[in-house]
Amino acid sequence: METEWDVIVLGSGLGGLSAALAFATKGKRVLVLEKSISPGGCASSFWKNGYLFESGATTLVGFERGLPLDRFSKELGVKFPIIPLERSMVVHLNGSRIERFQDRTLWISESLRVFGGGLRMKFFWKLCFFVSDRLWNLSARYKWFPFRTFGDIRKTIFVFRPLDLIVFLFSFVSVRFVLKVLFLHQNKDWNRFLDEQLLITNQTTAVDAPFGMAAAGLTYPNLQNYIVPGGMVELANTILRSLSEKKGEILYKQEVVKVRKLTVPKNGSPGSIETNTVWEVVTKNRENNVFRAPVLVSNLPVWNLTELAVDLPRLKQKVGAMEKGIWGAFTMGIVVQVGTENESLASECLHHQIHLPEDLPYGGGKSVFVSISHPKDTVRTKDGSYTLSLSTHIKDPEVWKRDKDYPAKKKEIESILISVLEKEFDWFQREKILFSHSATPVTWQTWTGRKFGRVGGIPSSYFFNPFRMVSNRSEDPSLLLTGDTVYPGQGIPAVVLGGLNAVEQFYGRKRG
């Protein structure tokens, strides 16, 4: 087993893999270390009882011109196996089905039909679209944000545009503030709709979500949505095939247990006067393995990293203030026999957000997100059966333990969610379930190693001041950070952008 590399990447989430391939494209020998048996992190898939299930993420956007996945594909020459969807999402609220049309004009009309608001509602959504478009445009240009030095600001001045100020302005006001200004804050169904939409994209509600980031979250159904045949893991597998062609490598079942920086002789000889600094990574896989590289990329959540690495005092201090209010998740995978001639399912949207009549127990959420396997995905949909992926928020994931009450708690939530599906979909019947499983924050911690099974990144409420976000560069110039707990945040397009920017910043710093 080779132990000396140019770059080591901790974790095979899509942010880490994006950075890995970007480094490999520049001629670096890259090693990716993954705790699990498959790549992708929270955007992966796994086999259970002969069926393929999604680990976490089920929606995919960001391929429009100039957006992160378009940039990734063009810069690194990767073509992903994707199928576009005609419909983005349906929201089930108080007996109504709300179509989240991709077309902006149709969506504004739908919003007016359901919630009213007249010209004020039209203005709200047009403002969301404007700020969201500017935010994506700005993110593509501000490759040194969040600023850490005056040099970062100097490099950014050359790409600054006056309209960027509007995005920064709306980063300091909440969605709730905008609603009050427009007198759109008194409709209870409208408020609930916004809060649940924001929770799945920004991990917080309208009261605390900064409008700048929330606009991108609220309008993501208005981007072209895609599915990946064979599961989300095929995104990671596609990147890994390109990485392998460039002599990169991934090792599985490599749980990182220690990270430290060492000074070693430059030519490997103990008597050498010249020295180099390298990162030493120790992993646990039956026996401890040791790997070294001068550059380290961490795709781990920042609170995991700071527990492994002792030489990051500033990051540790910042992380300490960010660990409150992080969500966990309860997820289910269900295989249901429907039949190939079922007309109601044939015309069904594949993504649904269902508002619940009351909060789920044990810190559960107020809505559940449901994704249905695509009819053309013959790996996950076969013989008249369909695979459903369900997910909902869980507060305080750290309190979940494998105690005597744990199995009963899981069963109770499972039963409630199955009843919800029976009520909302006439093609779903409990007795037609072929197989099901569920996962709690405890399961997520086991799968991914994420502390307490926390998922979804950091609530955007923490970043009311966007300059507080954790940069892709750490206090150590040879340690880069990617993933959903650093800039630009959660979601596949965001973590891919972070991975690309991290590598560009690394080389830009060296040139500077």
Side-chain angles (χ1 to χ4, degrees):
M1 183 185 298
E2 194 166 354
T3 60
E4 304 290 333
W5 297 82
D6 296 328
V7 180
I8 293 176
V9 179
L10 308 182
S12 65
L14 294 179
L17 291 182
S18 298
L21 186 57
F23 268 120
T25 301
K26 293 181 180 294
K28 297 298 183 182
R29 296 171 54 256
V30 181
L31 172 67
V32 180
L33 298 172
E34 170 55 47
K35 175 184 182 293
S36 185
I37 59 174
S38 60
C42 291
S44 187
S45 315
F46 64 95
W47 289 93
K48 194 175 183 71
N49 205 50
Y51 299 102
L52 184 68
F53 297 97
E54 301 292 21
S55 296
T58 57
T59 60
L60 178 63
V61 298
F63 285 91
E64 278 84 353
R65 183 177 179 181
L67 267 59
L69 288 163
D70 171 66
R71 173 186 164 190
F72 180 91
S73 298
K74 289 177 178 176
E75 290 183 6
L76 302 182
V78 175
K79 186 175 182 180
F80 292 105
I82 53 177
I83 297 176
L85 297 180
E86 294 182 3
R87 302 170 69 187
S88 296
M89 182 196 307
V90 170
V91 178
H92 303 240
L93 175 61
N94 291 342
S96 298
R97 288 169 65 102
I98 305 167
E99 183 82 26
R100 289 259 21 207
F101 290 104
Q102 178 187 335
D103 182 273
R104 295 180 173 187
T105 301
L106 289 177
W107 166 239
I108 291 175
S109 297
E110 178 76 345
S111 186
L112 286 167
R113 178 188 72 82
V114 178
F115 303 112
L119 292 175
R120 291 168 292 129
M121 181 67 75
K122 287 185 179 180
F123 182 82
F124 174 82
W125 284 111
K126 286 182 179 296
L127 181 63
C128 283
F129 293 136
F130 174 80
V131 173
S132 176
D133 291 344
R134 298 309 308 173
L135 180 64
W136 283 117
N137 183 280
L138 178 153
S139 298
R141 290 180 284 111
Y142 282 42
K143 298 178 181 180
W144 291 86
F145 188 85
F147 306 133
R148 298 185 69 244
T149 67
F150 286 112
D152 297 345
I153 299 174
R154 175 176 51 81
K155 294 171 186 174
T156 306
I157 286 174
F158 295 103
V159 297
F160 170 79
R161 297 173 186 172
L163 288 177
D164 296 347
L165 291 174
I166 297 177
V167 176
F168 282 108
L169 172 65
F170 278 106
S171 296
F172 292 95
V173 299
S174 70
V175 175
R176 184 69 172 176
F177 175 83
V178 174
L179 294 175
K180 285 185 175 181
V181 169
L182 296 175
F183 297 99
L184 287 173
H185 61 292
Q186 295 179 332
N187 184 320
K188 291 183 179 179
D189 284 348
W190 165 243
N191 286 329
R192 187 176 177 189
F193 167 82
L194 285 179
D195 283 345
E196 294 304 307
Q197 291 274 285
L198 287 167
L199 273 172
I200 60 176
T201 55
N202 292 72
Q203 304 300 316
T204 191
T205 59
V207 172
D208 296 316
F211 188 86
M213 295 180 68
L218 289 172
T219 58
Y220 96 87
N222 301 103
L223 297 173
Q224 175 63 62
N225 275 251
Y226 298 86
I227 66 103
V228 187
M232 282 291 191
V233 71
E234 288 306 312
L235 294 174
N237 285 335
T238 300
I239 297 174
L240 286 170
R241 284 191 286 271
S242 293
L243 183 66
S244 178
E245 292 172 359
K246 294 174 173 58
K247 310 305 179 184
E249 188 174 338
I250 183 170
L251 296 178
Y252 297 103
K253 296 184 179 180
Q254 301 288 334
E255 180 180 1
V256 178
V257 295
K258 187 175 183 180
V259 176
R260 62 174 180 169
K261 198 169 187 182
L262 301 176
T263 301
V264 297
K266 193 168 186 179
N267 61 4
S269 170
S272 175
I273 297 176
E274 295 186 82
T275 59
N276 274 338
T277 56
V278 298
W279 288 96
E280 183 178 83
V281 180
V282 181
T283 65
K284 180 182 178 182
N285 178 11
R286 298 180 183 173
E287 59 184 28
N288 287 350
N289 299 314
V290 180
F291 305 92
R292 290 181 176 178
V295 178
L296 185 67
V297 178
S298 174
N299 192 69
L300 307 178
V302 287
W303 37 77
N304 284 64
L305 175 64
T306 54
E307 290 185 350
L308 294 170
V310 297
D311 301 324
L312 303 169
R314 280 188 288 175
L315 183 60
K316 279 189 176 183
Q317 183 179 13
K318 195 165 189 175
V319 166
M322 298 165 59
E323 289 201 67
K324 297 178 181 178
I326 309 299
W327 293 94
F330 187 96
T331 58
M332 280 191 74
I334 301 175
V335 181
V336 60
Q337 187 71 36
V338 177
T340 56
E341 304 302 323
N342 192 295
E343 294 182 2
S344 59
L345 180 56
S347 61
E348 189 65 87
C349 181
L350 297 187
H351 298 305
H352 300 258
Q353 185 183 38
I354 304 173
H355 288 247
L356 304 174
E358 57 185 23
D359 295 5
L360 287 168
Y362 315 115
K366 298 179 180 180
S367 69
V368 58
F369 196 84
V370 181
S371 292
I372 307 167
S373 56
H374 196 284
K376 293 183 180 179
D377 186 351
T378 56
V379 176
R380 302 183 64 227
T381 304
K382 51 190 175 183
D383 302 326
S385 67
Y386 286 76
T387 303
L388 278 63
S389 299
L390 285 68
S391 64
T392 186
H393 285 79
I394 292 288
K395 291 181 181 177
D396 304 320
E398 57 271 14
V399 305
W400 279 75
K401 310 291 181 186
R402 290 190 188 274
D403 54 21
K404 61 182 179 61
D405 299 322
Y406 179 75
K409 290 163 66 175
K410 285 184 62 177
K411 289 294 183 183
E412 184 176 354
I413 297 179
E414 287 175 2
S415 180
I416 293 172
L417 294 180
I418 289 173
S419 296
V420 168
L421 295 177
E422 286 184 307
K423 179 182 177 181
E424 296 295 334
F425 303 115
D426 57 10
W427 48 264
F428 182 92
Q429 299 175 31
R430 186 184 299 252
E431 60 270 20
K432 295 292 183 70
I433 294 176
L434 302 179
F435 178 74
S436 69
H437 74 92
S438 66
T440 71
V442 175
T443 324
W444 276 90
Q445 184 170 13
T446 303
W447 277 349
T448 64
R450 296 172 73 103
K451 187 177 180 181
F452 298 127
R454 296 166 173 164
V455 295
I458 297 168
S460 62
S461 55
Y462 181 79
F463 302 118
F464 243 105
N465 178 348
F467 297 93
R468 296 177 69 191
M469 299 186 81
V470 178
S471 170
N472 301 122
R473 291 160 290 154
S474 73
E475 58 211 74
D476 188 301
S478 61
L479 172 61
L480 306 177
L481 308 177
T482 66
D484 60 8
T485 59
V486 301
Y487 179 81
Q490 73 158 2
I492 292 174
V495 297
V496 167
L497 177 62
L500 294 175
N501 282 354
V503 178
E504 189 156 342
Q505 290 166 4
F506 177 79
Y507 282 100
R509 176 192 59 80
K510 293 183 72 175
R511 288 193 300 268

